[in-house]
Amino acid sequence: MIESVSPAPVRADDVRRHNLALVVQHVVERGTVSRAELARLTQLTKGTVSAHVLELLRLDLLVELGAQAEGRVGRPHTALALNGERHCGVGLEINVDYLAVSVVDLLRRVRFHRVEAIDNRDVSPDIVLDRAAQLVRGALDAVVADGLAPAGVAAAVAGTIDQEQGLLLVAPNLGWRDVFVAAELTSRLAPLSAPVLVDNEANLAALGELWLGIGAECGDYVHVFGEIGVGGGIVVDGSLFRGSHGFAGEIGHVVVDPNGEACLCGGRGCLERVAGQEAILGAAGLPSTSATHLGQAGSPLGELIALLEGDDPRALAAVQRAADALGVALAGVVNVLDPDTVVIGGVYASIAPWLAAPLADRLASQVMAARTRPVAVRQSALGPDGAVRGAAALVVDRVLAAPDSVAAVNGGV
């Protein structure tokens, strides 16, 4: 005999939290909205909407804009909007040749942004995390002075992440293994009470593109984030696809040349050994020093761009070689996943005018459905800042999905 299992009862507090998020969702979608409109959109009673709005106002998540004319007939209504002057998300990026921090408010406006050029390879995680925490502290000092309160910190790291434990399993290019990044940062940022999260930088760059860039226009897409390493984030139906164990998207370690260079991951001929930032610069005859992602004049990446603009044959050949390798790796991904778009971010966005067309050509020659349904290749709107801005936006997204979570955060620094 099979015993039936009754569904768990729905608690009143769960209903309240769901309805708070529903109200916020409609405010986000509409920009400004009245209580009456919220009652119509949510199908909640006017009394329930008013109670939720009062709570959201008390939590500084909404703001009243004053009386607004609602068409030609009827009394003016009080418009509600998200409050962009109180809660914010803090993004931190720990990459191989730089640290970055970005702060985004609930309207997803960048309120603080700083990149610190520093080579973190073979440096003790303790030292790098000390530097990262100091960078976050500087950002917090700046935004708290403007009246903002951090709702959380999300760290983007170039490595494989166990999200449940906040654990970096391995970061070959950093030389890190088994580092509890979230706990280590939490300790260094005390007495900050806001939660600290950690995720793979390519995943956060893909989400950053969805929330802050062109992702909403791209359908299902694969975001390729090129730095010294190469990572991928996969967005399907507006959500990040993580795979069964959370490790989907490691395109940088797809083998494109079985007889190629040894990779720090232990393999040979991985994509990042051919199409990573250092590989492209080396093939172009340029030094591959730290902070090359910035593309500033005088930096190796800046010099590469100058050579490409001058039609330098060696530089053009280096980018063509990278495009071919990317095409080989991505063709397999596209044939398996059938996305609408490939978005190229990180340093690839900086050299997109020379990379996108040959990459699209390679995909057209190797993707089965290319003749009838060619995959689009688009340049990221966020470029090298995609991961750190996506990290900040992740915190904001969590606030909007669970509005009363800010009640547990005192914003202290």
Side-chain angles (χ1 to χ4, degrees):
M1 178 179 176
I2 299 175
E3 294 184 5
S4 61
V5 179
S6 300
V10 178
R11 296 183 303 171
D13 214 35
D14 292 335
V15 173
R16 173 185 141 275
R17 288 193 176 99
H18 173 271
N19 289 339
L20 281 173
L22 186 63
V23 169
V24 169
Q25 175 189 330
H26 285 291
V27 176
V28 171
E29 290 174 356
R30 292 295 181 109
T32 61
V33 63
S34 69
R35 288 171 173 80
E37 287 176 307
L38 283 172
R40 178 176 57 81
L41 293 166
T42 62
Q43 298 185 346
L44 299 171
T45 67
K46 290 183 179 180
T48 299
V49 166
S50 291
H52 290 332
V53 166
L54 285 174
E55 182 172 0
L56 294 167
L57 289 168
R58 180 179 58 80
L59 292 171
D60 289 325
L61 291 167
L62 297 185
V63 62
E64 291 182 307
L65 300 180
Q68 308 282 316
E70 190 173 10
R72 297 180 183 177
V73 181
R75 294 180 300 174
H77 69 275
T78 300
L80 300 161
L82 281 181
N83 184 356
E85 300 301 326
R86 182 55 178 162
H87 302 287
C88 63
V90 182
L92 167 70
E93 184 179 1
I94 301 173
N95 216 307
V96 179
D97 60 349
Y98 64 95
L99 298 171
V101 65
S102 193
V103 180
V104 174
D105 64 28
L106 292 192
L107 299 177
R108 294 187 170 131
R109 301 173 300 187
V110 177
R111 304 296 292 266
F112 184 94
H113 186 86
R114 181 168 295 165
V115 179
E116 191 172 282
I118 188 164
D119 199 326
N120 296 310
R121 279 172 286 204
D122 300 319
V123 178
S124 163
D126 284 338
I127 294 174
V128 176
L129 290 167
D130 284 345
R131 293 170 179 166
Q134 185 177 6
L135 193 63
V136 171
R137 281 282 184 201
L140 291 174
D141 288 344
V143 300
V144 169
D146 289 336
L148 293 174
V153 178
V157 187
T160 304
I161 305 293
D162 180 336
Q163 270 203 306
E164 288 186 5
Q165 299 187 70
L167 171 64
L168 171 70
L169 297 171
V170 61
N173 291 310
L174 281 170
W176 292 12
R177 185 179 292 274
D178 296 331
V179 180
F180 285 92
V181 174
E184 293 288 345
L185 286 171
T186 297
S187 174
R188 285 166 171 80
L189 293 172
L192 178 73
S193 62
V196 177
L197 317 169
V198 62
D199 204 344
N200 173 268
E201 35 109 51
N203 284 341
L204 290 172
L207 288 172
E209 203 66 48
L210 178 66
W211 294 324
L212 306 171
I214 62 169
E217 309 166 10
C218 293
D220 294 345
Y221 62 92
V222 177
H223 186 286
V224 187
F225 193 69
E227 298 290 342
I228 288 175
V230 179
I234 303 163
V235 174
V236 178
D237 290 334
S239 298
L240 187 71
F241 174 76
R242 293 184 178 274
S244 297
H245 306 97
F247 306 142
E250 288 289 353
I251 192 172
H253 299 287
V254 171
V255 175
V256 295
D257 180 4
N259 299 313
E261 292 182 33
C263 181
L264 291 172
C265 74
R268 182 172 292 277
C270 293
L271 174 64
E272 67 181 42
R273 306 308 299 166
V274 182
Q277 172 181 290
E278 291 190 327
I280 296 172
L281 291 170
L286 295 168
S288 52
T289 55
S290 65
T292 50
H293 83 291
L294 298 172
Q296 295 172 337
S299 72
L301 185 58
E303 291 179 37
L304 174 65
I305 292 170
L307 290 173
L308 292 168
E309 289 172 341
D311 294 329
D312 178 80
R314 190 171 179 182
L316 291 170
V319 174
Q320 178 68 57
R321 177 173 176 257
D324 286 341
L326 276 167
V328 169
L330 282 167
V333 174
V334 172
N335 279 327
V336 170
L337 297 180
D338 188 28
D340 298 292
T341 310
V342 168
V343 179
I344 50 177
V347 295
Y348 295 147
S350 301
I351 58 174
W354 302 275
L355 180 71
L359 172 57
D361 289 343
R362 171 63 76 168
L363 290 173
S365 70
Q366 293 196 231
V367 171
M368 290 289 291
R371 186 177 62 84
T372 55
R373 293 288 187 273
V375 63
V377 176
R378 297 190 61 178
Q379 178 182 359
S380 162
L382 305 182
D385 296 330
V388 69
R389 290 185 60 188
L394 175 66
V395 176
V396 168
D397 185 70
R398 287 168 65 96
V399 169
L400 299 179
D404 68 341
S405 62
V406 297
V409 177
N410 64 24
V413 281

